[in-house]
Amino acid sequence: MIAQIRPVLVTTVPAQPEPGVLYVSVEYATTLHLCACGCGHEVVLGISPHDWTLNWDGETVSLDHSVGNWSFPCQSHYCIRRNRIVRAGPWTDEQITRGRARDAAFRRGNPTPAVPDVPSAPSGSWLLRWLRRLPHR
Ligand SMILES: [Zn+2]
């Protein structure tokens, strides 16, 4: 498990995402980082009131709510608080169920409310390119 992550603003997909970096696209309201456990899976998180909310004070970044990689073999679960990775407890069945429901809703594009002042791109080709690059399971 890595201890720290730092935010980097991007507009295009990094060809080789680095561990310990949270890539943030304001344009697409999306973030990508490599799983903090070190397994190398790419974690793509949408930023919206119904997905994750991102707080960036210019130096440190916090994500609300926790990141749960229940679909990865590692099943890692952690929070990002002011650039620190804080390990969270194991997923309960209920959390996994809710996470799956939220994920499915996101993929259906419903609901994907726009964040004020940030253009939403639920079908952004940039996000789709990222999703296609995820390892096939
Ligand atoms: Zn992992």
Side-chain angles (χ1 to χ4, degrees):
M1 181 74 84
I2 66 168
Q4 295 254 335
I5 195 160
R6 66 187 167 88
V8 172
L9 268 184
V10 293
T11 52
T12 57
V13 189
Q16 293 268 303
E18 291 174 36
V21 178
L22 182 73
Y23 297 93
V24 179
S25 164
V26 174
E27 188 179 3
Y28 291 105
T30 302
T31 70
L32 179 146
H33 69 280
L34 296 183
C35 178
C37 87
C39 68
H41 276 98
E42 292 180 0
V43 182
V44 177
L45 303 177
I47 303 299
S48 83
H50 289 266
D51 293 302
W52 281 263
T53 53
L54 182 83
N55 289 300
W56 189 348
D57 64 11
E59 283 185 17
T60 67
V61 70
S62 302
L63 269 188
D64 206 19
H65 45 92
S66 66
V67 179
N69 296 324
W70 43 264
S71 62
F72 298 164
C74 65
Q75 299 264 302
S76 62
H77 186 201
Y78 48 87
C79 304
I80 298 176
R81 290 275 171 272
R82 299 181 68 82
N83 283 11
R84 282 185 305 114
I85 303 290
V86 181
R87 189 189 296 263
W91 282 89
T92 64
D93 288 344
E94 192 206 337
Q95 284 175 310
I96 290 174
T97 302
R98 270 192 282 139
R100 289 213 163 106
R102 189 175 57 234
D103 192 55
F106 176 58
R107 281 171 209 285
R108 280 197 309 270
N110 180 33
T112 52
V115 180
D117 301 320
V118 176
S120 71
S123 59
S125 59
W126 188 71
L127 174 59
L128 290 174
R129 260 200 329 275
W130 267 3
L131 291 175
R132 266 190 227 114
R133 287 177 52 231
L134 292 175
H136 292 287
R137 292 185 287 274

